[in-house]
């Protein structure tokens, strides 16, 4: 059946070039190869997000009067609705976690070095977009915690110099978090960000296919010295290994969805007192906690503004890293940049835990 279908398509589309490409494509094998699969797991979780998101869209209603009730209906009345929502929520968090792991593994293997600068840039932009998905999706259940956390989160945008007030009004759809904010976040979450993701992901994968898998500088030196680096056929060997990692991710996701259900909480009420323990999602906690610790004014500059500018500068440096660490392209990566990256990872872990415990 499969052979007949392929022959039918081959007769009409001439798939011989594609078949030859898949047959010849190979992936280098070395002791760091395991990090290759982090990108595959991230891509798998994107697929889970799309599939479960579409199912949730069938019942979700994006208005302040109906959003909470529609989510309540999904988890209590729709068959397996609770499971779909739990999988969607947990896979969103795992997706961002794996995107961070993929980013830092790529960083420490110096896979951003020439000629893969654009692959790195599209990858970093995809991480930012994934965090945008998390931020916009957090409000959609329209519960108390999400309402006040969004109020705090959008308020931080007000600290951006010159355009702060515009950004706050743009994100909220007005001066405060209201039903207009919910509708706006819904549009961003299901239309704007998916469109951006489709383009960036397509370009990112195209670059990877075009340039092949990067190898660490140490392996590249051995290769340049004449040593033959073992290769693994992309299909079926590498693909099957990738699928095995997807099974692992699916098992973790299923366990989390079954044993740690995502609470809905109480419906948002703009006139209710701010509940204790308001905090953003874990991937914003380090930034949130840092901003809380910065004094109100530092050298005459508003502390929150200084913090926002610092994080913006860090994001920009991350984006242009291939152009800062030019020595990596010739096997001499910067030790200062490596030390800064290690400190950044430690800072993110420590301040995320600190922010969680402090809340």
């Amino acid at each position: 059946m499969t052979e007949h279908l392929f022959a039918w398509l081959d007769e009409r589309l001439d798939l011989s070039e594609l078949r030859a490409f898949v047959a010849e494509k190979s992936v280098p094998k070395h002791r760091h190869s395991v990090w290759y699969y982090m990108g595959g797991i991230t891509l798998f979780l994107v697929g889970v997000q799309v599939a479960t998101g579409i199912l949730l869209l069938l019942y979700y209603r994006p208005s302040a009067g109906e959003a909470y009730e529609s989510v309540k209906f999904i988890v209590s009345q729709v068959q397996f609705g609770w499971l779909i929502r739990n999988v969607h929520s947990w896979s969103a968090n795992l997706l961002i976690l794996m995107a961070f792991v993929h980013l830092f593994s790529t960083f420490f293997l110096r896979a951003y070095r020439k000629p893969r600068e654009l692959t790195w840039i599209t990858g970093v932009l995809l991480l930012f977009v994934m965090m945008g998905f998390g931020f916009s999706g957090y409000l959609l259940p329209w519960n108390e915690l999400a309402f006040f956390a969004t109020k705090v989160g959008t308020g931080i945008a007000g600290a951006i110099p010159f355009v702060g007030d515009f950004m706050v009004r743009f994100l909220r759809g007005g001066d405060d978090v209201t039903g207009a904010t919910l509708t706006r976040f819904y549009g961003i979450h299901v239309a704007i960000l998916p469109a951006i993701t489709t383009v960036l992901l397509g370009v990112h994968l195209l670059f990877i296919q075009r340039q092949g898998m990067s190898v660490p500088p140490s392996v590249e030196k051995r290769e340049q010295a004449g040593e033959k680096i073992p290769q693994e056929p992309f299909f079926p060997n590498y693909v099957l290994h990738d699928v095995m990692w997807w099974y692992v991710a699916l098992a973790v996701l299923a366990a989390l969805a079954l044993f740690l259900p995502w609470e809905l909480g109480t419906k948002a009420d703009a006139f209710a007192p701010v509940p204790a323990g308001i905090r953003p999602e874990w991937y914003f906690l380090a930034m949130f906690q840092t901003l809380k610790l910065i004094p109100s004014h530092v050298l005459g500059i508003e502390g929150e503004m200084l913090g926002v500018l610092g994080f913006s500068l860090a994001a920009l440096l991350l984006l242009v890293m291939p152009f800062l660490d030019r020595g990596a392209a010739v096997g001499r990566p910067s030790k200062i940049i490596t030390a800064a990256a290690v400190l950044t990872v430690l800072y993110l872990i420590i301040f995320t835990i600190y922010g969680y415990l402090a809340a």
Side-chain angles (χ1 to χ4, degrees):
M1 177 68 182
T2 308
E3 289 181 1
H4 286 303
L5 177 62
F6 188 83
W8 187 86
L9 288 171
D10 192 21
E11 190 178 357
R12 285 153 182 81
L13 302 174
D14 187 16
L15 301 175
S16 55
E17 288 186 11
L18 177 64
R19 196 163 41 190
F21 171 76
V22 172
E24 292 173 8
K25 186 174 174 58
S26 61
V27 177
K29 281 185 72 176
H30 47 80
R31 65 190 179 96
H32 299 294
S33 294
V34 66
W35 297 110
Y36 288 158
Y37 300 107
M38 301 302 110
I41 296 174
T42 309
L43 183 61
F44 168 72
L45 291 170
V46 169
V48 173
Q49 280 288 284
V50 173
T52 53
I54 290 172
L55 291 174
L56 292 174
L57 275 179
L58 299 177
Y59 293 95
Y60 180 75
R61 293 191 289 274
S63 70
E66 297 177 301
Y68 181 85
E69 283 73 14
S70 65
V71 177
K72 196 172 182 179
F73 179 79
I74 290 170
V75 298
S76 61
Q77 301 296 321
V78 177
Q79 198 167 20
F80 297 112
W82 61 273
L83 182 61
I84 299 297
R85 179 175 181 256
N86 283 341
V87 169
H88 190 73
S89 301
W90 276 114
S91 62
N93 284 270
L94 285 180
L95 167 60
I96 293 178
L97 175 64
M98 292 314 303
F100 269 111
V101 172
H102 181 45
L103 178 94
F104 281 109
S105 63
T106 304
F107 182 95
F108 286 114
L109 292 175
R110 296 300 199 275
Y112 54 71
R113 66 189 188 278
K114 185 182 177 181
R116 294 180 175 81
E117 299 96 327
L118 294 176
T119 312
W120 169 264
I121 289 173
T122 52
V124 173
L125 291 177
L126 275 169
L127 174 66
F128 294 159
V129 172
M130 293 303 123
M131 294 175 77
F133 268 115
F135 185 64
S136 57
Y138 194 50
L139 180 66
L140 298 190
W142 198 242
N143 58 30
E144 199 173 58
L145 190 64
F147 177 84
F148 286 104
T150 302
K151 205 166 184 174
V152 174
T154 52
I156 291 173
I160 302 173
F162 308 115
V163 296
D165 291 339
F166 167 78
M167 287 299 298
V168 172
R169 288 181 60 81
F170 173 77
L171 288 171
R172 292 179 175 176
D175 292 326
D176 212 340
V177 176
T178 62
T181 316
L182 177 67
T183 308
R184 185 156 295 201
F185 272 40
Y186 175 75
I188 293 171
H189 193 74
V190 305
I192 296 174
L193 292 180
I196 296 172
T197 301
T198 303
V199 174
L200 284 176
L201 191 58
V203 173
H204 189 69
L205 294 176
L206 177 66
F207 287 156
I208 294 171
Q209 290 303 318
R210 186 75 180 167
Q211 298 170 327
M213 297 283 193
S214 168
V215 294
S218 58
V219 177
E220 192 174 61
K221 280 182 183 174
R222 286 162 44 203
E223 202 170 22
Q224 289 169 349
E227 184 180 340
K228 189 171 176 57
I229 305 300
Q231 299 285 319
E232 176 183 37
F234 178 76
F235 187 84
N237 299 43
Y238 181 82
V239 171
L240 286 177
H241 285 147
D242 222 4
V243 171
M244 289 303 295
W245 279 100
W246 294 2
Y247 276 124
V248 172
L250 192 60
V252 172
L253 190 57
L256 289 170
L258 286 172
F259 298 115
L260 293 172
W262 208 262
E263 298 293 336
L264 179 56
T266 55
K267 186 176 180 178
D269 181 0
F271 300 104
V274 179
I278 285 293
R279 61 169 183 259
E281 289 283 60
W282 63 269
Y283 36 88
F284 290 117
L285 267 179
M287 183 175 75
F288 178 70
Q289 194 61 29
T290 304
L291 292 176
K292 282 174 67 177
L293 292 176
I294 297 176
S296 58
H297 286 84
V298 179
L299 300 175
I301 304 173
E302 194 177 330
E304 195 171 60
M305 181 189 294
L306 198 64
V308 170
L309 286 175
F311 283 111
S312 301
L313 178 62
L316 180 63
L317 292 176
L318 185 68
L319 193 66
V320 300
M321 186 54 65
F323 307 103
L324 299 177
D325 190 12
R326 289 182 174 276
V330 290
R332 289 185 284 102
S334 167
K335 290 181 181 177
I336 295 175
I337 289 178
T338 301
V342 171
L343 290 174
T344 300
V345 172
L346 290 174
Y347 156 74
L348 289 174
I349 293 172
I350 292 170
F351 269 69
T352 299
I353 295 172
Y354 178 38
Y356 182 80
L357 296 176

